[in-house]
Amino acid sequence: MTTGSLLAADLVIAVLAAAGWLGGGAASAARRRPLALGLAAFALVATLARAITITALARVGWWFAAEKVLIAAPLSLAGVVVAGSRLLRAPRDIRAVAVPLLFAGYATAGGLLVTVLHGYPASAGTALLTLAGVLAATAVSWRVLAARPSGAVSRAALATAAAALVTGAGLAVAPGAAPAVPHDHEPRDARTVGEPTRRFTLTAAATTVRVGGRDVAAWAFNGQVPGPELTATVGDVLEVTLRNRDIGRGVTLHWHGYDVPNSQDGVRGITQAAVLPGQEFVYRFRADQAGTYWYHTHAVSDVGVRKGLYGVLVVRPAPVAGIDVTVPVHTLSGRPLPAPRSEPVPAGTPVRLRLLNTDSTTHRYALAGTPFRVAAIDGGDLRDPTPLVDTAVLIPAGGRYDLVFTAPATPVALLVDGRAVWSIGPVPATTDRWPVLDPLTYGAPAPVPWSRFDKEFTLVLDRGLDLRGLLPRYAHTVNGAADPDIPPQVVRGGDVVAFTIVNRAQYVHPWHLHGHHVLVLSRNGKPATGSPLWLDSFDVRPGDVWKVAFRADNPGMWANHCHNLAHAEAGMTLHLMYS
Ligand code: C2O
Ligand code: CU
C-alpha cells in the first residue's frame, strides 16, 4: 500500500468511526437498543483499525502521523474508555449510554477535524481548541439528553471547554514570521550587463485565438498562444522588453528554470512590481545555460498562464545538425495545444523533441515507432542516457524533457495523453499500457558533490484552514501555514542546502524553486541511482517524501512554490532568502 493510499484509508476509517459513535449515540437517545449496540460495536472496530493505520503512517514518517498520534489517538482512547465502561455496565435503559457514545463521537470527529483543517505540525493550541470543542459539545448533549441533568457536571465541562478555548486560541494565533517584501538595493549583477545580442519585444494583450477550429478568448504575447519562441545561443545577452497593452491585473516575465539574477526573475511583489497597462519593463540577462526553458507571467499567474501568457525559451550550445522541434503542451479554454503536426523527415536525420508542460497538472508523453533517449530534463543534460523503447514519460507542471532519436524510415508519433501532437508519417500504435520511465533510475550515476549540509529544511505540504486573511479560506499549506505567513527559509551565500519535501495531501504538488536547480538525493527513502538529476520542477505525489539539495549561489529573494498555480495562489508559496 502506498503512503498516499494509507493516508486516504486512514481518513475514511476515521470518518466511519466518528459516524459509528455519533450514530450509536443518536440511536440510544431514541431508545433503539439493537441499532445503538450495533453501531457502537462497528465504531469500536473502526477505532481499532485506525490504531493500525496511524501506527503504519508513523512508521513511514512522523510528518504523516504527528497530530494523529498526539491529538486524535488520545481523544479516541478517551472515547473508547468512557463509552466502553458505560456499555459494560449493561444499563437497563439504553438512553443512559447516549452521552458517553456521543462523547466518543465528538472526540473522534475532533481528531479528524485536526487532520483535515490543520494537519502538521500538531501544536498545543490545536489540541486545546479541539478539547474545548469536544467538551462543549458533550456538555450541551448532556443538558439536552440526560434524564436527571447534573448541572454541576455539565457546568464543569463547559467551564473547562471555555478555558481550553481561550488558551488554545491564544496559542494558535501566535504570530509567524512573514517575509519582508521587495528590496531593490541589490548590487548590479555582472550577468545583466553587456551589449545585448538578442533583442525581443513581447506585448501582452487580450485577444481571441483560434484553437481546434474555434475562437477562444485569451491573453497573449504578440497576439499568439504560446507567445513567440525566444531562441539564443550560449553567450548571448538577451534583452526582452515587456509591454502591457491592456491586461488590467498586470503582467511580468518569469524565466522558468533559467537561473537569472534575482532582479530579472519577474516575480510580482518580490523582485518587481507588476507591469500595468501602458507600462513596460526591460529584462536583461546573459544566456549561460543551454537547454529547454519557458517564460510566463508571474502576476496573478494562475489566471495569466492559463489564459495564454507563456512561451518557449530555447538556448542552444551552438548551431546543431538535424531537426529540433518544441512541443509546448497547454490547455486553453479546455482545448489542448499544440495542434497536431506531421512532417516528412528523411531517414537518418537526428531529431530532438523538446517537450514542455505549461499546464498546472502532469501530462503523459509517449514516443512511438522509434527507440529514443531522454537527453535532458529541465534543461540539464543527463549522463549516459540509455535507449528506451515503448516507454512513456510523465512531465510535471512546468517541467521539460528533451527526447532524441534518429529518424527511421517508418512512421513515428508523439502522443500526449493519448493524442498525437507530432508525427512522421501516419500515426501508429496505442501507447496507453506502456510503462512509465522513472528518471531517478535512468542514466549513469555520479557521486553527490557534497557530504554535509549547512542548512536543512523540511516542507510538509497539506491543506488547512487559514484564518489570518480577511476571509477564511481552505488553503494549500506548508508546515501548517499559508502564504504570506509561511516563514522564509534563510540561507547564506555558499551554503549547501537540503530540502525534505513531504506531501500529506491527496493532491500532486509539482514543486518549483526559483533561481536554482536542485539535485535529487532520494525519494521515499530510496536514493536516486541514475544520472544526477538537476531539476527545477518535480512532482511530489501524495505520500511522497523527496530529499533534494543545492548550493546557495544566486543571492536574492526567491519564490519557492507549488507549480499547480492554483495551489500557489491558494497559499502554497514561500520564499528562499539570502541573509
Ligand atoms: Cu514557473 Cu514561480 O514559476
Ligand atoms: Cu500543489
Side-chain angles (χ1 to χ4, degrees), residues 360 461 476 507-511 561-568 572:
S360 272
L461 316 181
H476 289 274
Y507 302 82
V508 174
H509 292 302
W511 205 257
H561 64 92
C562 176
H563 216 281
N564 182 320
L565 297 173
H567 297 180
M572 204 169 257

Side-chain angles (χ1 to χ4, degrees), residues 110-135:
L112 178 65
L113 283 180
V114 173
T115 292
V116 172
L117 298 182
H118 182 73
Y120 184 90
S123 68
T126 318
L128 285 171
L129 283 176
T130 316
L131 187 63
V134 171
L135 289 176

Side-chain angles (χ1 to χ4, degrees), residues 93-193:
D93 182 3
I94 189 67
R95 237 176 154 240
V97 299
V99 172
L101 290 181
L102 288 174
F103 167 71
Y106 300 142
T108 310
L112 178 65
L113 283 180
V114 173
T115 292
V116 172
L117 298 182
H118 182 73
Y120 184 90
S123 68
T126 318
L128 285 171
L129 283 176
T130 316
L131 187 63
V134 171
L135 289 176
T138 309
V140 169
S141 306
W142 198 314
R143 273 275 148 108
V144 174
L145 288 177
R148 290 171 283 109
S150 153
V153 176
S154 62
R155 247 177 280 126
L158 275 178
T160 320
L165 181 69
V166 169
T167 330
L171 288 172
V173 300
V181 189
H183 50 127
D184 42 13
H185 31 263
E186 295 278 297
R188 224 170 143 67
D189 192 297
R191 290 169 295 166
T192 65
V193 297

Side-chain angles (χ1 to χ4, degrees), residues 285-351:
F285 57 92
R286 181 155 326 126
D288 47 11
Q289 294 165 244
T292 310
Y293 304 91
W294 61 299
Y295 60 86
H296 62 81
T297 183
H298 217 296
V300 283
S301 57
D302 173 28
V303 184
V305 176
R306 190 154 28 87
K307 288 194 156 197
L309 291 175
Y310 71 95
V312 175
L313 167 66
V314 174
V315 179
R316 297 191 172 81
V320 278
I323 74 160
D324 191 324
V325 183
T326 60
V327 185
V329 169
H330 193 78
T331 310
L332 190 66
S333 287
R335 290 162 181 273
L337 286 172
R341 187 149 66 98
S342 188
E343 52 188 305
V345 177
T349 311
V351 181

Side-chain angles (χ1 to χ4, degrees), residues 130 405 503:
T130 316
F405 62 95
N503 187 356

